[in-house]
Amino acid sequence: MSTPDPGPPPTGELPFFVYGTLLPGEPNHDLFLRGRTTGERPAVLPRALLYDGPGYPYAIDGHGRVHGTLLTAAPGVYGELLGLLDHLEEYLGPGHPRNLYERVVREVELPGESGAGRGSEAAGGAGQGGVEVDGDGAGGDGAGPVRAWVYLAAAAVTRSLRTGGSLIDGGRWVTGRPPGGPRTP
């Protein structure tokens, strides 16, 4: 007896959960997201851990929480944005051996809404969004967790992080610069 095939991953226009250099105020936010999103708001990725990388973080599955931002693509640019983010994250396709990250669907929590569990503590701090996401299941209606694309470290990277990586306590990536201030080396 065989197990039924779960089918292909979702192909709808899901929002994106970001947690590193794509966060508001970070350099890749303006380069890749400016003018391509209609909504950004603080969010939390449950059941995940955050590790420090060479100038950017990696999230992996684990027993923790990662703080970030949920963003919704502007009408008409979803395909362009998806391609840009796949390129930035060095995602070549599901399970590709040269992937740096895997793009996967996960449920994320919106602080202050049903299912968020942690109230304002999970909000991601100052500069983490604050613009309301508009409809289409991307949040704002108190419906609980939201399904979103998340870039998690690929298998080889995850193995390396688990054996010798630097875990980021609290699951909140910061670059060491004040909001709006110059980036430190």
Side-chain angles (χ1 to χ4, degrees), residues 4 12 52 70 85 94 100 110 113 119 134-135 159 161 167 175:
D52 208 6
L70 184 72
L85 296 180
L100 184 60
L110 301 174
E113 296 188 18
D134 56 51
R159 283 191 297 276
L161 292 169
L167 183 65
T175 59

Side-chain angles (χ1 to χ4, degrees), residues 113-175:
E113 296 188 18
S114 175
R118 296 251 183 141
S120 62
E121 174 192 343
Q128 297 288 316
V131 179
E132 289 296 319
V133 174
D134 56 51
D136 298 331
D141 61 2
V146 175
R147 290 167 40 93
W149 288 119
V150 180
Y151 290 90
L152 297 180
V157 176
T158 296
R159 283 191 297 276
S160 176
L161 292 169
R162 287 192 189 280
T163 60
S166 178
L167 183 65
I168 297 174
D169 289 330
R172 194 182 313 271
W173 190 73
V174 294
T175 59

Side-chain angles (χ1 to χ4, degrees), residues 41-65:
R41 70 177 298 156
V44 176
L45 176 65
R47 298 172 299 284
L49 298 170
L50 195 61
Y51 282 85
D52 208 6
Y56 48 86
Y58 295 101
I60 67 170
D61 287 325
H63 299 289
R65 298 167 63 80

